[in-house]
Structures are given as structure tokens and as C-alpha cells.
Amino acid sequence: MNRLYDTVEPTVIDEDLLKQCIEEQGTASEAGRIAKKEGLDFSEVESLRLDFKNVLKIDNLWFFTNLVKLNLDNNIIEKIQNLDSLIHLEWLDLSFNNIEKIEGLDKLTKLKDLTLYNNQITALENMDKLVNLHVFSIGNNNLSQIDNVVYLRRFRELSCLNVAGNPFAEGDYKSYVVAHLPSITYLDFRLVSSHMREEAITQYQDAIDVIEHNERDDQKKQEKEISRIAEEKELREAFVDGLMSGQLFDDLFIEDVDGPKTQPPSTNDRAYELYKSKFCKICEELVTFGLKEAQNREREKTMFQSAVNKAKEADKVRVWLLLTSSILQKEGTDRAWSSQ
């Protein structure tokens, strides 16, 4: 599986190589037509082939900001890196390289087709941002733990998967994969029949029930965390963050330099609890007031922006009328002169 480069000098992805590869794609392609323009603009290229170039390191692709399809297969690449600027990439082929770890893909959120076939990858990881993934080829790698495929359940759009050729892909591995990945319609280039799916689910039903239960719990935690972050953002923008709980009171009491002199009251002390209750109530009132004022500010901002936009439109009309009047006046003057 390892591709050696001891006897061959690795190729560097530089400007000359990039121009050459674009031109080699042929005049019939979009890239070929672009290549013939004066002053090649890499940002206009949508498809690029860098396969079979003996490339060791992915580099110098920053300017290909509109790239949709990238071939980097059949090289000697050891690490997935320097792809962050390719935010429009939908198709990436890194098969037949020396990659040991999945990484460097977080910015490729539009990626639909990813091929990592025939590398040295040992784990499915670091792909959480690839929410649009439809096709994934990870065959002929070093995946030894079959339960690692459960990681792929997060990709709801994943329909085509290739895992054949990995150490775990022996025996009845297909039933496990099909049972745990309900979105898969093609496995190892073969259609998953309804009969196969039913048998697989029946075989692993208990394990699937546990996984689904854990997923529901994780979803609730995630939703709760999202809600908490949104609430914190709302309070922060209203300048009342940190006032919603009794933590402020506790912090102030603890940091009071005169506190130790008067012996801190216990939490069971009625006066202490009454004072804390009144303090927290005032904080709640401040929060309510702050949120209301924040809404007023947003409303005023919206009204102001609307007024500005109307003023701009009115100015455009006035300028157009002045220009039209000036042109008509000039035409009238020209006609007057020409008649004399």
C-alpha cells in the first residue's frame, strides 16, 4: 500500500505546475478555456487534476477559491493539509497516497464526494463538518475496528460507501455496516437490498437500540447547549449578562474584604437568605429591563436603516431628474445654436 519515493524527486505544487495542469485539461474543458485567457486567474478554475504528479505535500492552492473538483490521487501525499481556502469544493480524490490520518477537512463543508481509497488510514475521525457527504470511499486502508463505522451515522446524506479491503472487512461485515448505517444504499459498489437490510437490522437490533438511545440523549444535550449559548448571546448584547443567577451575589459576598470581619453567615441564616432573595430579584428586574431596551434599540436601528435607504432612493431620483433636466436643456441649447 505504501508508495515509495526514494528514487524519485518529489514534485512541488508551484505556479508552473498548476498552469501546466490546467492547460493539460484541454481546450474543450472550462479550465482549458480559462488557461488560454491572457493572465490566468486561478480563482476562476472550477476543476483541477494533479494526479500522477509525484506530489508529496498539498500546497499553494489558496487562490483556487471557486474550485469544485480536485484530483490529487496517485501521488505520495502523507498529510491532508492546506485545503481551507477551497470552501466550494464538492469532489475530492486523495486515493492511492500515503495518508495515515483523516484531518484538515473542517472548512470543506460543501464536500459531497470524498475518496481516500488505498491509503494507510487507521481511524474514521475529524470529518464532523462534512454534513453534505454523499459518497465516501475508504477501502484498502488499515481500519481494524468494525465499530468505527458507527462514526459515519452522523452523515445523514451518505448513500454510497466503500470499505472493502480493510482488516475488519472480513466475514459478515456487510450486515454490521448496513444495520448501523441506515442511509446507505450502495455498499462496496453493490446495491443494498431491502431483504439484506431487514436481516441486518434484526441481527443487531439490541445494539442499534442502545446507539439510538444515546444519540437522542446527545441530541437533547446539544439542543440545550445551543439554547444556552443563544441565551448568553442575547443577555450579552443587552449588557445584562451575568445577572440571571445567584452567582453574582455569591461572588460579591466572597470577595467582600469586610466579610471575614463579621463572620460569614451560614446558608441557613434567614436574614442572609432574605437579603440574597431581594438581591436576585433586583437582578431579574434589571435583566427584564435590559432585554426590553435591547429590543427597542433593534427597532430603532431598523427604523433608522429604513429611513437611510429611503433617503438614498430619493437622492437617486433627484440626481436622475437633475441629469435629465440638464441633458434636455443642453439639447435645447444645441438646437437653438444650430438654427441660427
Side-chain angles (χ1 to χ4, degrees), residues 62-118:
W62 302 290
F63 297 107
F64 291 84
T65 52
N66 286 306
L67 201 63
V68 176
K69 184 175 182 179
L70 176 60
N71 287 71
L72 282 165
D73 56 286
N74 289 280
N75 286 295
I76 51 175
I77 297 169
E78 296 180 342
K79 184 177 182 179
I80 306 174
Q81 59 185 335
N82 299 324
L83 296 174
D84 287 357
S85 62
L86 311 183
I87 57 175
H88 296 291
L89 202 64
E90 296 182 7
W91 198 96
L92 176 61
D93 189 349
L94 283 163
S95 58
F96 294 95
N97 280 287
N98 295 329
I99 299 168
E100 297 182 356
K101 182 179 181 179
I102 301 176
E103 58 186 334
L105 300 173
D106 286 351
K107 302 298 182 181
L108 309 184
T109 57
K110 293 185 178 181
L111 201 63
K112 295 180 180 179
D113 192 315
L114 175 61
T115 302
L116 294 170
Y117 185 83
N118 210 97

Side-chain angles (χ1 to χ4, degrees), residues 28-287:
S29 68
E30 179 65 19
R33 289 193 293 273
I34 294 172
K36 288 189 172 294
K37 292 182 179 179
E38 182 178 355
L40 180 62
D41 186 355
F42 289 157
S43 66
E44 296 182 23
V45 177
E46 295 185 358
S47 178
L48 179 63
R49 297 185 65 93
L50 291 169
D51 49 335
F52 295 97
K53 299 297 182 184
N54 205 48
V55 172
L56 175 62
K57 180 181 179 181
I58 304 172
D59 208 355
N60 295 319
L61 297 176
W62 302 290
F63 297 107
F64 291 84
T65 52
N66 286 306
L67 201 63
V68 176
K69 184 175 182 179
L70 176 60
N71 287 71
L72 282 165
D73 56 286
N74 289 280
N75 286 295
I76 51 175
I77 297 169
E78 296 180 342
K79 184 177 182 179
I80 306 174
Q81 59 185 335
N82 299 324
L83 296 174
D84 287 357
S85 62
L86 311 183
I87 57 175
H88 296 291
L89 202 64
E90 296 182 7
W91 198 96
L92 176 61
D93 189 349
L94 283 163
S95 58
F96 294 95
N97 280 287
N98 295 329
I99 299 168
E100 297 182 356
K101 182 179 181 179
I102 301 176
E103 58 186 334
L105 300 173
D106 286 351
K107 302 298 182 181
L108 309 184
T109 57
K110 293 185 178 181
L111 201 63
K112 295 180 180 179
D113 192 315
L114 175 61
T115 302
L116 294 170
Y117 185 83
N118 210 97
N119 279 279
Q120 302 173 47
I121 296 168
T122 58
L124 299 174
E125 58 184 346
N126 302 323
M127 297 168 58
D128 298 42
K129 304 297 184 180
L130 308 185
V131 294
N132 293 302
L133 194 64
H134 284 69
V135 179
F136 182 43
S137 178
I138 192 69
N140 272 29
N141 275 275
N142 293 331
L143 301 176
S144 58
Q145 302 296 322
I146 192 170
D147 57 352
N148 194 194
V149 302
V150 176
Y151 174 83
L152 300 178
R153 285 178 62 89
R154 69 197 66 215
F155 306 117
R156 304 300 183 185
E157 303 297 324
L158 186 63
S159 58
C160 298
L161 175 67
N162 168 240
V163 296
N166 283 286
F168 78 73
E170 299 177 357
D172 190 25
Y173 75 93
K174 291 185 177 180
S175 294
Y176 184 94
V177 175
V178 170
H180 289 79
L181 302 179
S183 65
I184 296 297
T185 55
Y186 286 90
L187 176 60
D188 296 338
F189 311 107
R190 291 182 177 274
L191 180 66
V192 177
S193 66
S194 57
H195 176 69
M196 178 184 181
R197 190 182 304 279
E198 290 172 2
E199 286 193 340
I201 292 175
T202 300
Q203 181 178 354
Y204 293 98
Q205 187 65 63
D206 292 343
I208 294 173
D209 287 343
V210 173
I211 291 173
E212 290 179 344
H213 174 75
N214 292 336
E215 287 176 342
R216 286 192 294 270
D217 286 346
D218 290 340
Q219 180 66 25
K220 290 178 181 178
K221 291 178 182 178
Q222 186 178 7
E223 291 173 354
K224 186 176 181 180
E225 179 65 11
I226 292 173
S227 177
R228 183 190 66 79
I229 293 173
E231 181 180 357
E232 286 185 353
K233 181 175 181 291
E234 183 182 22
L235 294 175
R236 186 167 57 252
E237 292 177 349
F239 307 107
V240 291
D241 48 317
L243 298 178
M244 278 298 288
S245 67
Q247 186 63 45
L248 176 62
F249 177 85
D250 294 335
D251 291 341
L252 291 174
F253 196 92
I254 292 173
E255 294 175 4
D256 185 356
V257 294
D258 295 324
K261 299 177 183 179
T262 58
Q263 186 179 0
S266 68
T267 55
N268 293 322
D269 188 278
R270 185 177 177 184
Y272 171 83
E273 290 298 331
L274 181 61
Y275 179 58
K276 181 176 181 179
S277 176
K278 290 181 177 180
F279 183 93
C280 291
K281 184 177 180 181
I282 293 173
C283 288
E284 291 176 3
E285 291 173 352
L286 285 172
V287 169

Side-chain angles (χ1 to χ4, degrees), residues 315-331:
D315 285 342
K316 288 179 182 179
V317 172
R318 281 195 292 270
V319 170
W320 181 82
L321 290 173
L322 286 172
L323 287 174
T324 303
S325 177
S326 177
I327 292 171
L328 291 174
Q329 186 177 0
K330 184 177 183 301
E331 290 177 349

